[in-house]
């Protein structure tokens, strides 16, 4: 057996890094910037009004209340703004350019709202309600740094500094294949000895949640030639193949039989659940093969695929948040294996250390317990039992 950490490094190295590409802003949500975004314009690009009101010279309203003639109207978007002459005011709207000569804006609420003449009831200080050029972003500076995950606000900023597209790490295209003659796709009826296929549904959802593009092949029977016939033609359009099932030591391990001596090496990992794994390249395409039990699939995704795929697509935050918590009950663990148990973590107000209790037993078929969990309890390889009240590592999901 090899360690979880050693195998994670192997999978991460296998998947490598995605290529970079330019995409329109509308297609970039959730992707990671591959290059810095320079500000081609300042934000704001010109001095403008922060309020609906009147552009004035502060000195002209120092003796307020005063009445000034309204010499001009300046709506937002006007580009031919005349200078403000001394002793006058310009009616101005939010976002409209400040006229040359003006140094303040008086809110309309502090006036009588006149259009020919305006009575200004309060004094103004130079700079009042004026948004200065570049006070948000200076032209030529970096508006967004490489490695930034593009959410709605980041995309808004990219648009505001004049970009129509950004250079990002390309989302990986992942082919997900579930194997097993016993698998049936709902809503087809079950016969005795059959089960409904769920692994591909879970994996596809988890991969899409990372931003991957996913193609799914469900319920491939345990026949080597059939497996190769169905899967091999799809490799050319995939960056990664992920399979579930058929990798252990039984008589009908279709993935193991089909890919052994074809570039994929099968290993035993020092973990529970999820011990039997495989990875390598088939026709040049990275392949990660997972066990068939659903909890093993989900734990394997968290331990190996999630961090490797995040790294490949340019993310720097690769790990789940880890905390310490006190166990609410005794937990045994197999010697020499890192155990991952589904758990539920809570932390009371004012408490430094939370508490955690397992959900369901250690069995890798107990999927319902995973739906009740919000964390994984991690017991290291050297631990054979953890007593109630002991502090353990917890990965928050």
């Amino acid at each position: 057996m090899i360690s979880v950490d050693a195998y994670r490094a192997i999978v991460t190295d296998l998947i490598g890094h995605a290529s970079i590409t330019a995409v329109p802003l509308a297609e970039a949500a959730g992707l990671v910037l591959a290059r810095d975004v320079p500000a081609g314009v300042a934000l704001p690009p010109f001095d403008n009004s922060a309020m609906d009101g009147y552009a004035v010279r502060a000195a002209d309203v120092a003796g307020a209340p005063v009445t000034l003639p309204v010499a001009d109207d300046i709506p937002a978007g006007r580009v031919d703004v005349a200078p403000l002459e001394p002793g006058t005011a310009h009616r101005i709207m939010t976002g409209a350019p400040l006229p040359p000569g003006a140094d303040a804006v008086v809110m309309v609420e502090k006036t009588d709202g006149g259009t020919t003449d305006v009575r200004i009831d309060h004094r103004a200080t130079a700079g009042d309600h004026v948004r200065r050029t570049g006070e948000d972003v200076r032209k030529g500076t970096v508006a967004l740094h490489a490695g930034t995950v593009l959410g709605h606000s980041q995309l808004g900023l990219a648009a505001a500094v004049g970009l129509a597209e950004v250079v990002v790490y390309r989302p990986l295209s992942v082919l997900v294949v579930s194997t097993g003659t016993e698998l049936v796709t709902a809503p087809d009826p079950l016969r005795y000895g059959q089960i409904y296929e769920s692994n591909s549904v879970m994996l596809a959802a988890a991969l899409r949640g990372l931003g991957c593009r996913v193609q799914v092949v469900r319920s491939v029977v345990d026949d080597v030639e059939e497996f190769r016939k169905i899967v091999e033609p799809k490799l050319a359009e995939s960056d990664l193949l992920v399979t579930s099932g058929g990798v252990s030591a039984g008589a009908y391990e279709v993935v193991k039989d089909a890919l052994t001596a074809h570039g994929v090496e099968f290993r035993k990992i020092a973990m529970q659940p999820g011990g039997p794994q495989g990875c390598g390249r088939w026709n040049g395409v990275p392949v990660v093969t997972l066990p068939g039990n659903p909890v093993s699939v989900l734990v394997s995704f968290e331990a190996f695929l999630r961090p490797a795929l995040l790294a490949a697509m340019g993310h720097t935050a690769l790990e789940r948040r880890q905390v310490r918590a006190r166990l609410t009950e005794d937990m045994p663990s197999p010697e020499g294996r890192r155990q991952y148990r589904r758990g539920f973590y809570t932390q009371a107000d004012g408490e430094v250390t939370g508490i955690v209790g397992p959900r369901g037993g250690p069995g890798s078929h107990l999927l319902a317990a995973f739906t009740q969990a919000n964390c994984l309890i991690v017991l290291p390889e050297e631990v054979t039992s953890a007593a109630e009240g002991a502090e353990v590592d917890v990965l928050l999901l």
Side-chain angles (χ1 to χ4, degrees):
M1 292 192 292
I2 67 171
S3 72
V4 171
D5 295 334
Y7 189 64
R8 178 186 295 184
I10 291 170
V11 172
T12 299
D13 184 63
L14 171 70
I15 294 175
H17 287 89
S19 59
I20 63 174
T21 186
V23 300
L25 297 186
E27 299 174 13
L31 303 183
V32 179
L33 270 180
R35 294 178 183 164
D36 290 346
V37 171
V41 298
L43 292 182
F46 50 86
D47 291 353
N48 68 85
S49 176
M51 294 285 178
D52 294 333
Y54 295 84
V56 300
R57 295 171 184 262
D60 289 340
V61 296
V66 298
T67 299
L68 300 175
V70 178
D72 203 357
D73 256 352
I74 312 176
R78 184 168 172 180
V79 296
D80 58 340
V81 178
L84 176 72
E85 298 298 332
T88 68
H90 287 182
R91 193 167 67 150
I92 192 168
M93 304 301 129
T94 302
L98 195 71
D103 60 9
V105 172
V106 179
M107 304 167 52
V108 68
E109 292 86 350
K110 295 182 178 181
T111 75
D112 67 355
T115 56
T116 303
D117 296 287
V118 61
R119 187 186 74 245
I120 295 175
D121 297 322
H122 295 267
R123 289 181 294 174
T125 302
D128 283 357
H129 308 306
V130 175
R131 301 166 176 162
R132 294 297 183 190
T133 303
E135 70 176 38
D136 189 13
V137 177
R138 297 193 309 277
K139 182 178 179 179
T141 61
V142 175
L144 293 167
H145 290 274
T148 298
V149 181
L150 294 170
H152 52 278
S153 59
Q154 290 80 15
L155 290 169
L157 179 57
V161 297
L163 293 188
E165 60 182 23
V166 284
V167 179
V168 297
Y169 291 93
R170 182 176 56 82
L172 293 179
S173 296
V174 183
L175 174 63
V176 173
V177 177
S178 62
T179 67
T181 301
E182 76 279 14
L183 302 179
V184 174
T185 302
D188 292 349
L190 289 179
R191 299 173 61 188
Y192 185 78
Q194 296 179 323
I195 60 173
Y196 282 121
E197 195 279 321
S198 61
N199 285 345
S200 71
V201 176
M202 295 188 301
L203 276 172
L207 290 163
R208 290 187 181 111
L210 299 183
C212 297
R213 295 169 180 162
V214 182
Q215 182 182 5
V216 175
V217 178
R218 301 181 70 180
S219 308
V220 178
V221 297
D222 292 325
D223 179 272
V224 168
E225 293 308 315
E226 185 72 6
F227 175 86
R228 290 176 178 158
K229 177 182 176 183
I230 293 173
V231 178
E232 195 165 12
K234 300 180 184 298
L235 292 177
E237 57 198 61
S238 305
D239 299 307
L240 172 68
L241 167 64
V242 178
T243 68
S244 64
V247 298
S248 193
Y252 298 95
E253 306 295 348
V254 64
V255 176
K256 195 172 186 179
D257 294 342
L259 300 184
T260 295
H262 289 271
V264 178
E265 183 177 355
F266 294 86
R267 309 165 185 262
K268 194 76 170 176
I269 315 302
M271 65 186 292
Q272 185 192 59
Q277 302 277 342
C279 68
R281 291 183 179 272
W282 183 22
N283 292 348
V285 177
V287 178
V288 175
T289 69
L290 307 179
N293 281 317
V295 176
S296 296
V297 167
L298 292 174
V299 169
S300 299
F301 174 82
E302 289 292 331
F304 309 125
L305 277 175
R306 183 179 183 274
L309 288 167
L310 287 173
M313 293 187 290
H315 292 263
T316 55
L318 309 181
E319 306 296 336
R320 295 286 193 182
R321 182 184 168 207
Q322 182 170 301
V323 297
R324 296 283 285 176
R326 296 188 307 275
L327 281 173
T328 60
E329 60 183 82
D330 295 346
M331 278 183 55
S333 186
E335 184 177 5
R337 300 190 185 197
R338 185 179 303 179
Q339 182 174 211
Y340 294 87
R341 286 282 297 273
R342 292 135 286 172
F344 193 84
Y345 170 85
T346 57
Q347 185 173 9
D349 291 342
E351 293 290 328
V352 176
T353 304
I355 60 172
V356 66
R359 290 293 183 268
S364 58
H365 63 294
L366 301 173
L367 180 59
F370 222 131
T371 69
Q372 303 159 14
N374 64 3
C375 69
L376 290 173
I377 304 168
V378 184
L379 298 183
E381 291 82 346
E382 66 274 12
V383 172
T384 57
S385 65
E388 178 183 349
E391 286 195 7
V392 293
D393 289 327
V394 173
L395 297 177
L396 301 181
L397 301 177

